[in-house]
């Protein structure tokens, strides 16, 4: 069996603990017999430390086993179910620590019931394989859970942003833009910034930016818009200012080497969003929007323009401040992509705060065509066909889910992706409707806001006369058949 260094420590600690328990020895007894401290032995058993040879000899003598038995990587029969997990590096490659769980903690759980827990984890791995989930996708799913755990608000990065603004003496009324960031990167950090297109680098034409560390050069795609350039430059500054070493060198993920690189990229992106969209100014402007008696789509476009931010950056930044500063946490975020002129929709990002909201990702089902997220993509396509598209579109609706009591106020922004031709993108924020939200969003009483009955997918929907339906309600029908079967069996006394 081949183990990495971290797993060697884990195996040694696991074997030491198991031997101690098999011999009925407490930590205190082992400490007294070996002459080592209880805290040190505890660190060894948790896989945090690997003892030197003289200490291994002392432990072996204290438990009446020979040196080779203790240092052998072979696990006994009781612990054998853990072998496969250790061989796959599952315990050390996945970022349990961001959830407050160390690999040793998980290993301790496994040692108490190795067969059952190992089988459970192996089942999860198999489910991931069945859905063709790559390690990269798993990392992104973990990152999303990490964001959701913290209400997508990270005080330590907010503090870094404040320190940066204070150090550079940037006044509150000054809006940071791409020109300021470009000059800062070149003058203060010695960057060279170059712009490229398909003639320069045809193989990376669909990537926004590439950093070349050997020459300190940042390559930026000529296709991207001013707000995308501002975000790209801001993220680069985030890597530098927060002294992040392990990072991706491309804006799009060509290869994911570790979870740390995924997390670090998120941290730098958060930094970029926070310097472009200053917290205090955003809160001030959102209060004005929320206190309007009627909904204004134009206000959202003006917000994006003011902060020189993409719709996605704007919505993410809004999700940062709403839970902490407005007490609004029943939120979801969705990002859809669709080829221009086609009704082919792909959910590429999602996030849910406070709980799992509807809608959310489904496998191989057809999302409800009544969602504003999809309708607004169709609107962008229609404008493109007639050469009338000029600026991001904003759409809103109140969504009533017909087969549940869920109700949401939903707002979407859509525009062409630019970097990949003929692809449009919509970003959506949904807010769980309740009396508290109505008291904070004054515009919700606006009769001009459309109210639509919707559902998660066509396959689950009971709106049989729906004109937008694109698939039969097969999942709903199976569910009802099962309910009828249960009712019949119950009436028979079975």
């Amino acid at each position: 069996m081949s183990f990495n260094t971290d797993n060697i420590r884990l195996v040694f600690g696991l074997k030491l603990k198991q031997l101690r328990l098999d011999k009925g020895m407490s930590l205190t007894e082992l400490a007294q017999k070996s002459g080592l401290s209880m805290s040190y032995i505890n660190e060894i058993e948790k896989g945090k430390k690997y003892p030197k040879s003289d200490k291994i000899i002392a432990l072996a003598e204290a438990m009446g086993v020979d040196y080779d038995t203790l240092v052998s990587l072979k696990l006994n029969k009781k612990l054998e179910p853990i072998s496969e997990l250790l061989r796959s590096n599952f315990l050390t490659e996945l970022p349990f620590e961001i959830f407050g769980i160390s690999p040793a903690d998980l290993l301790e759980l496994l040692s108490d019931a190795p067969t059952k827990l190992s089988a459970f984890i192996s089942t999860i791995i198999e489910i991931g394989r069945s859905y063709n989930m790559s390690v990269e996708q798993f990392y992104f799913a973990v990152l999303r859970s990490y964001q959701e755990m913290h209400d997508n608000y990270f005080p330590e990065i907010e503090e870094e942003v404040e320190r940066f603004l204070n150090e550079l003496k940037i006044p509150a009324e000054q809006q940071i833009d791409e020109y300021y960031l470009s000059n800062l990167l070149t003058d203060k950090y010695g960057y060279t910034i170059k712009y490229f297109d398909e003639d320069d680098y045809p193989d990376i034409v669909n990537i926004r930016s590439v950093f070349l560390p050997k020459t300190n050069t940042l390559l930026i795609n000529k296709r991207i818009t001013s707000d995308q350039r501002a975000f790209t430059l801001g993220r680069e500054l985030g890597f530098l200012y927060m002294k992040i070493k392990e990072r991706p060198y491309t804006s799009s993920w060509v290869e994911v080497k570790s979870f740390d690189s995924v997390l670090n990229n998120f941290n730098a992106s958060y930094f970029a969003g926070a310097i472009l969209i200053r917290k205090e100014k955003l809160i001030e402007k959102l209060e004005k929007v929320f206190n309007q008696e009627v909904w204004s789509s134009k206000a959202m476009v003006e917000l994006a323009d003011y902060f020189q931010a993409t719709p996605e950056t704007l919505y993410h930044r809004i999700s940062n401040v709403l839970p902490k500063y407005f007490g609004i946490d029943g939120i979801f975020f969705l990002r859809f992509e669709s080829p221009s002129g086609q009704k082919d929709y792909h959910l590429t990002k999602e996030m849910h705060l406070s709980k799992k909201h509807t809608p959310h990702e489904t496998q191989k089902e057809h999302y409800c065509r009544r969602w504003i997220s999809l309708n607004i993509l169709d609107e962008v396509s229609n404008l493109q066909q007639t050469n009338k598209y000029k600026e991001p579109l904003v759409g809103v609706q109140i969504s009533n889910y017909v087969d549940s009591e869920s109700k949401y106020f939903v707002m979407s922004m859509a525009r062409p992706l630019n970097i990949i031709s003929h692809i449009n993108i919509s970003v959506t924020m949904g807010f769980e409707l309740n009396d508290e939200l109505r008291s904070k969003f004054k515009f919700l009483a606006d009769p001009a806001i459309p109210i639509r009955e919707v559902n998660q997918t066509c396959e689950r929907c009971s709106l049989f006369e729906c004109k937008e339906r694109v698939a039969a309600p097969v999942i709903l029908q199976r569910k009802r058949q099962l309910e009828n079967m249960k009712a019949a069996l119950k009436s028979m006394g079975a």
Side-chain angles (χ1 to χ4, degrees), residues 268-294:
S269 298
Y270 189 106
F271 182 94
I275 62 172
L276 290 171
I277 305 177
R278 309 273 280 278
K279 182 170 57 182
E280 293 76 11
K281 184 61 69 174
L282 176 62
I283 291 170
E284 174 190 322
K285 289 185 173 293
L286 286 177
E287 285 175 342
K288 291 180 180 178
V289 172
F290 296 164
N291 285 318
Q292 291 176 345
E293 296 294 332
V294 295

PDB file of all heavy atoms in Angstrom, residues 268-294:
ATOM      1  N   ALA A 268      -9.505  35.984  -3.515  1.00  0.00           N
ATOM      2  CA  ALA A 268      -9.058  37.107  -4.343  1.00  0.00           C
ATOM      3  C   ALA A 268     -10.228  37.723  -5.105  1.00  0.00           C
ATOM      4  O   ALA A 268     -10.289  38.946  -5.285  1.00  0.00           O
ATOM      5  CB  ALA A 268      -7.970  36.646  -5.314  1.00  0.00           C
ATOM      6  N   SER A 269     -11.167  36.889  -5.540  1.00  0.00           N
ATOM      7  CA  SER A 269     -12.351  37.393  -6.246  1.00  0.00           C
ATOM      8  C   SER A 269     -13.237  38.196  -5.296  1.00  0.00           C
ATOM      9  O   SER A 269     -13.802  39.227  -5.677  1.00  0.00           O
ATOM     10  CB  SER A 269     -13.141  36.225  -6.840  1.00  0.00           C
ATOM     11  OG  SER A 269     -12.367  35.511  -7.785  1.00  0.00           O
ATOM     12  N   TYR A 270     -13.369  37.721  -4.069  1.00  0.00           N
ATOM     13  CA  TYR A 270     -14.140  38.445  -3.054  1.00  0.00           C
ATOM     14  C   TYR A 270     -13.501  39.823  -2.822  1.00  0.00           C
ATOM     15  O   TYR A 270     -14.203  40.839  -2.737  1.00  0.00           O
ATOM     16  CB  TYR A 270     -14.153  37.631  -1.765  1.00  0.00           C
ATOM     17  CG  TYR A 270     -15.090  38.139  -0.684  1.00  0.00           C
ATOM     18  CD1 TYR A 270     -16.280  37.468  -0.404  1.00  0.00           C
ATOM     19  CD2 TYR A 270     -14.788  39.268   0.075  1.00  0.00           C
ATOM     20  CE1 TYR A 270     -17.138  37.906   0.604  1.00  0.00           C
ATOM     21  CE2 TYR A 270     -15.638  39.727   1.069  1.00  0.00           C
ATOM     22  CZ  TYR A 270     -16.806  39.037   1.337  1.00  0.00           C
ATOM     23  OH  TYR A 270     -17.649  39.481   2.327  1.00  0.00           O
ATOM     24  N   PHE A 271     -12.174  39.850  -2.723  1.00  0.00           N
ATOM     25  CA  PHE A 271     -11.434  41.101  -2.548  1.00  0.00           C
ATOM     26  C   PHE A 271     -11.736  42.059  -3.700  1.00  0.00           C
ATOM     27  O   PHE A 271     -11.995  43.249  -3.490  1.00  0.00           O
ATOM     28  CB  PHE A 271      -9.930  40.808  -2.480  1.00  0.00           C
ATOM     29  CG  PHE A 271      -9.057  41.994  -2.245  1.00  0.00           C
ATOM     30  CD1 PHE A 271      -8.658  42.339  -0.961  1.00  0.00           C
ATOM     31  CD2 PHE A 271      -8.604  42.779  -3.305  1.00  0.00           C
ATOM     32  CE1 PHE A 271      -7.832  43.439  -0.733  1.00  0.00           C
ATOM     33  CE2 PHE A 271      -7.791  43.871  -3.090  1.00  0.00           C
ATOM     34  CZ  PHE A 271      -7.398  44.204  -1.798  1.00  0.00           C
ATOM     35  N   ALA A 272     -11.722  41.526  -4.926  1.00  0.00           N
ATOM     36  CA  ALA A 272     -11.992  42.364  -6.103  1.00  0.00           C
ATOM     37  C   ALA A 272     -13.390  42.962  -6.035  1.00  0.00           C
ATOM     38  O   ALA A 272     -13.578  44.164  -6.267  1.00  0.00           O
ATOM     39  CB  ALA A 272     -11.827  41.531  -7.377  1.00  0.00           C
ATOM     40  N   GLY A 273     -14.378  42.121  -5.717  1.00  0.00           N
ATOM     41  CA  GLY A 273     -15.741  42.624  -5.617  1.00  0.00           C
ATOM     42  C   GLY A 273     -15.892  43.675  -4.534  1.00  0.00           C
ATOM     43  O   GLY A 273     -16.629  44.656  -4.691  1.00  0.00           O
ATOM     44  N   ALA A 274     -15.152  43.510  -3.428  1.00  0.00           N
ATOM     45  CA  ALA A 274     -15.276  44.425  -2.293  1.00  0.00           C
ATOM     46  C   ALA A 274     -14.607  45.775  -2.534  1.00  0.00           C
ATOM     47  O   ALA A 274     -15.041  46.785  -1.974  1.00  0.00           O
ATOM     48  CB  ALA A 274     -14.707  43.769  -1.037  1.00  0.00           C
ATOM     49  N   ILE A 275     -13.548  45.811  -3.350  1.00  0.00           N
ATOM     50  CA  ILE A 275     -12.928  47.120  -3.628  1.00  0.00           C
ATOM     51  C   ILE A 275     -13.665  47.852  -4.750  1.00  0.00           C
ATOM     52  O   ILE A 275     -13.692  49.086  -4.777  1.00  0.00           O
ATOM     53  CB  ILE A 275     -11.420  47.003  -3.965  1.00  0.00           C
ATOM     54  CG1 ILE A 275     -11.177  46.173  -5.222  1.00  0.00           C
ATOM     55  CG2 ILE A 275     -10.641  46.472  -2.782  1.00  0.00           C
ATOM     56  CD1 ILE A 275      -9.731  46.195  -5.694  1.00  0.00           C
ATOM     57  N   LEU A 276     -14.264  47.092  -5.671  1.00  0.00           N
ATOM     58  CA  LEU A 276     -15.044  47.736  -6.733  1.00  0.00           C
ATOM     59  C   LEU A 276     -16.376  48.239  -6.199  1.00  0.00           C
ATOM     60  O   LEU A 276     -16.850  49.315  -6.578  1.00  0.00           O
ATOM     61  CB  LEU A 276     -15.284  46.752  -7.882  1.00  0.00           C
ATOM     62  CG  LEU A 276     -14.072  46.357  -8.728  1.00  0.00           C
ATOM     63  CD1 LEU A 276     -14.433  45.227  -9.676  1.00  0.00           C
ATOM     64  CD2 LEU A 276     -13.545  47.554  -9.508  1.00  0.00           C
ATOM     65  N   ILE A 277     -16.988  47.432  -5.323  1.00  0.00           N
ATOM     66  CA  ILE A 277     -18.298  47.781  -4.777  1.00  0.00           C
ATOM     67  C   ILE A 277     -18.125  47.991  -3.279  1.00  0.00           C
ATOM     68  O   ILE A 277     -18.238  47.061  -2.479  1.00  0.00           O
ATOM     69  CB  ILE A 277     -19.339  46.675  -5.072  1.00  0.00           C
ATOM     70  CG1 ILE A 277     -19.389  46.390  -6.574  1.00  0.00           C
ATOM     71  CG2 ILE A 277     -20.717  47.070  -4.561  1.00  0.00           C
ATOM     72  CD1 ILE A 277     -20.324  45.277  -6.975  1.00  0.00           C
ATOM     73  N   ARG A 278     -17.811  49.225  -2.907  1.00  0.00           N
ATOM     74  CA  ARG A 278     -17.527  49.560  -1.524  1.00  0.00           C
ATOM     75  C   ARG A 278     -18.768  49.329  -0.670  1.00  0.00           C
ATOM     76  O   ARG A 278     -19.878  49.753  -1.016  1.00  0.00           O
ATOM     77  CB  ARG A 278     -17.064  51.009  -1.413  1.00  0.00           C
ATOM     78  CG  ARG A 278     -15.921  51.359  -2.373  1.00  0.00           C
ATOM     79  CD  ARG A 278     -14.587  51.046  -1.785  1.00  0.00           C
ATOM     80  NE  ARG A 278     -14.218  52.111  -0.865  1.00  0.00           N
ATOM     81  CZ  ARG A 278     -13.666  53.268  -1.237  1.00  0.00           C
ATOM     82  NH1 ARG A 278     -13.428  53.517  -2.526  1.00  0.00           N
ATOM     83  NH2 ARG A 278     -13.334  54.179  -0.343  1.00  0.00           N
ATOM     84  N   LYS A 279     -18.566  48.639   0.439  1.00  0.00           N
ATOM     85  CA  LYS A 279     -19.673  48.192   1.287  1.00  0.00           C
ATOM     86  C   LYS A 279     -20.599  49.333   1.706  1.00  0.00           C
ATOM     87  O   LYS A 279     -21.824  49.235   1.564  1.00  0.00           O
ATOM     88  CB  LYS A 279     -19.083  47.495   2.519  1.00  0.00           C
ATOM     89  CG  LYS A 279     -20.084  46.938   3.483  1.00  0.00           C
ATOM     90  CD  LYS A 279     -19.388  46.072   4.528  1.00  0.00           C
ATOM     91  CE  LYS A 279     -18.319  46.840   5.279  1.00  0.00           C
ATOM     92  NZ  LYS A 279     -17.597  45.991   6.259  1.00  0.00           N
ATOM     93  N   GLU A 280     -20.022  50.414   2.239  1.00  0.00           N
ATOM     94  CA  GLU A 280     -20.836  51.514   2.763  1.00  0.00           C
ATOM     95  C   GLU A 280     -21.675  52.159   1.662  1.00  0.00           C
ATOM     96  O   GLU A 280     -22.859  52.460   1.855  1.00  0.00           O
ATOM     97  CB  GLU A 280     -19.959  52.565   3.435  1.00  0.00           C
ATOM     98  CG  GLU A 280     -19.279  52.093   4.708  1.00  0.00           C
ATOM     99  CD  GLU A 280     -18.088  51.174   4.448  1.00  0.00           C
ATOM    100  OE1 GLU A 280     -17.664  51.060   3.268  1.00  0.00           O
ATOM    101  OE2 GLU A 280     -17.606  50.545   5.410  1.00  0.00           O
ATOM    102  N   LYS A 281     -21.058  52.354   0.500  1.00  0.00           N
ATOM    103  CA  LYS A 281     -21.776  52.985  -0.614  1.00  0.00           C
ATOM    104  C   LYS A 281     -22.872  52.059  -1.140  1.00  0.00           C
ATOM    105  O   LYS A 281     -23.970  52.517  -1.490  1.00  0.00           O
ATOM    106  CB  LYS A 281     -20.790  53.346  -1.730  1.00  0.00           C
ATOM    107  CG  LYS A 281     -21.400  54.083  -2.899  1.00  0.00           C
ATOM    108  CD  LYS A 281     -22.013  55.423  -2.498  1.00  0.00           C
ATOM    109  CE  LYS A 281     -20.974  56.443  -2.093  1.00  0.00           C
ATOM    110  NZ  LYS A 281     -21.586  57.784  -1.856  1.00  0.00           N
ATOM    111  N   LEU A 282     -22.600  50.768  -1.190  1.00  0.00           N
ATOM    112  CA  LEU A 282     -23.611  49.820  -1.665  1.00  0.00           C
ATOM    113  C   LEU A 282     -24.807  49.798  -0.714  1.00  0.00           C
ATOM    114  O   LEU A 282     -25.965  49.821  -1.165  1.00  0.00           O
ATOM    115  CB  LEU A 282     -23.013  48.414  -1.773  1.00  0.00           C
ATOM    116  CG  LEU A 282     -23.995  47.303  -2.169  1.00  0.00           C
ATOM    117  CD1 LEU A 282     -24.582  47.555  -3.553  1.00  0.00           C
ATOM    118  CD2 LEU A 282     -23.321  45.933  -2.110  1.00  0.00           C
ATOM    119  N   ILE A 283     -24.547  49.770   0.586  1.00  0.00           N
ATOM    120  CA  ILE A 283     -25.633  49.761   1.568  1.00  0.00           C
ATOM    121  C   ILE A 283     -26.490  51.013   1.405  1.00  0.00           C
ATOM    122  O   ILE A 283     -27.732  50.946   1.416  1.00  0.00           O
ATOM    123  CB  ILE A 283     -25.063  49.658   2.999  1.00  0.00           C
ATOM    124  CG1 ILE A 283     -24.439  48.277   3.211  1.00  0.00           C
ATOM    125  CG2 ILE A 283     -26.140  49.919   4.042  1.00  0.00           C
ATOM    126  CD1 ILE A 283     -23.638  48.149   4.487  1.00  0.00           C
ATOM    127  N   GLU A 284     -25.841  52.143   1.223  1.00  0.00           N
ATOM    128  CA  GLU A 284     -26.564  53.413   1.036  1.00  0.00           C
ATOM    129  C   GLU A 284     -27.471  53.358  -0.189  1.00  0.00           C
ATOM    130  O   GLU A 284     -28.631  53.765  -0.141  1.00  0.00           O
ATOM    131  CB  GLU A 284     -25.540  54.544   0.902  1.00  0.00           C
ATOM    132  CG  GLU A 284     -26.117  55.894   0.561  1.00  0.00           C
ATOM    133  CD  GLU A 284     -25.021  56.896   0.197  1.00  0.00           C
ATOM    134  OE1 GLU A 284     -23.940  56.868   0.825  1.00  0.00           O
ATOM    135  OE2 GLU A 284     -25.247  57.698  -0.735  1.00  0.00           O
ATOM    136  N   LYS A 285     -26.945  52.841  -1.285  1.00  0.00           N
ATOM    137  CA  LYS A 285     -27.724  52.813  -2.522  1.00  0.00           C
ATOM    138  C   LYS A 285     -28.827  51.751  -2.464  1.00  0.00           C
ATOM    139  O   LYS A 285     -29.919  51.946  -3.010  1.00  0.00           O
ATOM    140  CB  LYS A 285     -26.792  52.578  -3.723  1.00  0.00           C
ATOM    141  CG  LYS A 285     -25.921  53.788  -4.041  1.00  0.00           C
ATOM    142  CD  LYS A 285     -25.108  53.581  -5.297  1.00  0.00           C
ATOM    143  CE  LYS A 285     -24.376  54.854  -5.697  1.00  0.00           C
ATOM    144  NZ  LYS A 285     -25.308  55.923  -6.120  1.00  0.00           N
ATOM    145  N   LEU A 286     -28.554  50.614  -1.811  1.00  0.00           N
ATOM    146  CA  LEU A 286     -29.585  49.585  -1.692  1.00  0.00           C
ATOM    147  C   LEU A 286     -30.758  50.073  -0.837  1.00  0.00           C
ATOM    148  O   LEU A 286     -31.916  49.762  -1.135  1.00  0.00           O
ATOM    149  CB  LEU A 286     -28.994  48.306  -1.080  1.00  0.00           C
ATOM    150  CG  LEU A 286     -28.103  47.462  -1.994  1.00  0.00           C
ATOM    151  CD1 LEU A 286     -27.534  46.270  -1.228  1.00  0.00           C
ATOM    152  CD2 LEU A 286     -28.852  46.984  -3.231  1.00  0.00           C
ATOM    153  N   GLU A 287     -30.461  50.828   0.202  1.00  0.00           N
ATOM    154  CA  GLU A 287     -31.542  51.368   1.040  1.00  0.00           C
ATOM    155  C   GLU A 287     -32.494  52.230   0.215  1.00  0.00           C
ATOM    156  O   GLU A 287     -33.715  52.184   0.396  1.00  0.00           O
ATOM    157  CB  GLU A 287     -30.951  52.165   2.200  1.00  0.00           C
ATOM    158  CG  GLU A 287     -30.352  51.285   3.290  1.00  0.00           C
ATOM    159  CD  GLU A 287     -29.663  52.081   4.376  1.00  0.00           C
ATOM    160  OE1 GLU A 287     -29.347  53.277   4.133  1.00  0.00           O
ATOM    161  OE2 GLU A 287     -29.413  51.519   5.467  1.00  0.00           O
ATOM    162  N   LYS A 288     -31.952  52.977  -0.724  1.00  0.00           N
ATOM    163  CA  LYS A 288     -32.789  53.820  -1.580  1.00  0.00           C
ATOM    164  C   LYS A 288     -33.640  52.958  -2.514  1.00  0.00           C
ATOM    165  O   LYS A 288     -34.827  53.229  -2.720  1.00  0.00           O
ATOM    166  CB  LYS A 288     -31.923  54.780  -2.394  1.00  0.00           C
ATOM    167  CG  LYS A 288     -31.251  55.858  -1.550  1.00  0.00           C
ATOM    168  CD  LYS A 288     -30.405  56.770  -2.413  1.00  0.00           C
ATOM    169  CE  LYS A 288     -29.723  57.847  -1.570  1.00  0.00           C
ATOM    170  NZ  LYS A 288     -28.845  58.726  -2.395  1.00  0.00           N
ATOM    171  N   VAL A 289     -33.023  51.917  -3.068  1.00  0.00           N
ATOM    172  CA  VAL A 289     -33.768  51.015  -3.959  1.00  0.00           C
ATOM    173  C   VAL A 289     -34.891  50.315  -3.194  1.00  0.00           C
ATOM    174  O   VAL A 289     -36.030  50.236  -3.658  1.00  0.00           O
ATOM    175  CB  VAL A 289     -32.827  49.968  -4.595  1.00  0.00           C
ATOM    176  CG1 VAL A 289     -33.627  48.913  -5.360  1.00  0.00           C
ATOM    177  CG2 VAL A 289     -31.824  50.639  -5.535  1.00  0.00           C
ATOM    178  N   PHE A 290     -34.578  49.817  -1.999  1.00  0.00           N
ATOM    179  CA  PHE A 290     -35.561  49.057  -1.219  1.00  0.00           C
ATOM    180  C   PHE A 290     -36.710  49.932  -0.730  1.00  0.00           C
ATOM    181  O   PHE A 290     -37.819  49.433  -0.498  1.00  0.00           O
ATOM    182  CB  PHE A 290     -34.887  48.391  -0.026  1.00  0.00           C
ATOM    183  CG  PHE A 290     -33.853  47.354  -0.396  1.00  0.00           C
ATOM    184  CD1 PHE A 290     -32.936  46.902   0.538  1.00  0.00           C
ATOM    185  CD2 PHE A 290     -33.803  46.825  -1.682  1.00  0.00           C
ATOM    186  CE1 PHE A 290     -31.981  45.949   0.199  1.00  0.00           C
ATOM    187  CE2 PHE A 290     -32.848  45.877  -2.036  1.00  0.00           C
ATOM    188  CZ  PHE A 290     -31.937  45.439  -1.087  1.00  0.00           C
ATOM    189  N   ASN A 291     -36.455  51.213  -0.562  1.00  0.00           N
ATOM    190  CA  ASN A 291     -37.483  52.118  -0.038  1.00  0.00           C
ATOM    191  C   ASN A 291     -38.353  52.746  -1.130  1.00  0.00           C
ATOM    192  O   ASN A 291     -39.273  53.509  -0.822  1.00  0.00           O
ATOM    193  CB  ASN A 291     -36.848  53.222   0.812  1.00  0.00           C
ATOM    194  CG  ASN A 291     -36.410  52.705   2.175  1.00  0.00           C
ATOM    195  OD1 ASN A 291     -37.121  51.943   2.817  1.00  0.00           O
ATOM    196  ND2 ASN A 291     -35.226  53.098   2.612  1.00  0.00           N
ATOM    197  N   GLN A 292     -38.070  52.430  -2.386  1.00  0.00           N
ATOM    198  CA  GLN A 292     -38.911  52.938  -3.470  1.00  0.00           C
ATOM    199  C   GLN A 292     -40.274  52.232  -3.435  1.00  0.00           C
ATOM    200  O   GLN A 292     -40.361  51.046  -3.144  1.00  0.00           O
ATOM    201  CB  GLN A 292     -38.244  52.695  -4.828  1.00  0.00           C
ATOM    202  CG  GLN A 292     -36.993  53.540  -5.050  1.00  0.00           C
ATOM    203  CD  GLN A 292     -36.318  53.192  -6.372  1.00  0.00           C
ATOM    204  OE1 GLN A 292     -36.604  52.177  -6.982  1.00  0.00           O
ATOM    205  NE2 GLN A 292     -35.423  54.060  -6.813  1.00  0.00           N
ATOM    206  N   GLU A 293     -41.308  52.973  -3.758  1.00  0.00           N
ATOM    207  CA  GLU A 293     -42.660  52.414  -3.763  1.00  0.00           C
ATOM    208  C   GLU A 293     -42.927  51.560  -4.999  1.00  0.00           C
ATOM    209  O   GLU A 293     -43.811  50.700  -4.992  1.00  0.00           O
ATOM    210  CB  GLU A 293     -43.699  53.541  -3.689  1.00  0.00           C
ATOM    211  CG  GLU A 293     -43.643  54.347  -2.403  1.00  0.00           C
ATOM    212  CD  GLU A 293     -44.037  53.535  -1.179  1.00  0.00           C
ATOM    213  OE1 GLU A 293     -44.833  52.581  -1.334  1.00  0.00           O
ATOM    214  OE2 GLU A 293     -43.547  53.842  -0.075  1.00  0.00           O
ATOM    215  N   VAL A 294     -42.173  51.817  -6.065  1.00  0.00           N
ATOM    216  CA  VAL A 294     -42.325  51.030  -7.293  1.00  0.00           C
ATOM    217  C   VAL A 294     -40.970  50.451  -7.675  1.00  0.00           C
ATOM    218  O   VAL A 294     -39.915  51.031  -7.376  1.00  0.00           O
ATOM    219  CB  VAL A 294     -42.891  51.875  -8.460  1.00  0.00           C
ATOM    220  CG1 VAL A 294     -44.301  52.333  -8.143  1.00  0.00           C
ATOM    221  CG2 VAL A 294     -41.993  53.061  -8.777  1.00  0.00           C
TER     222      VAL A 294
END
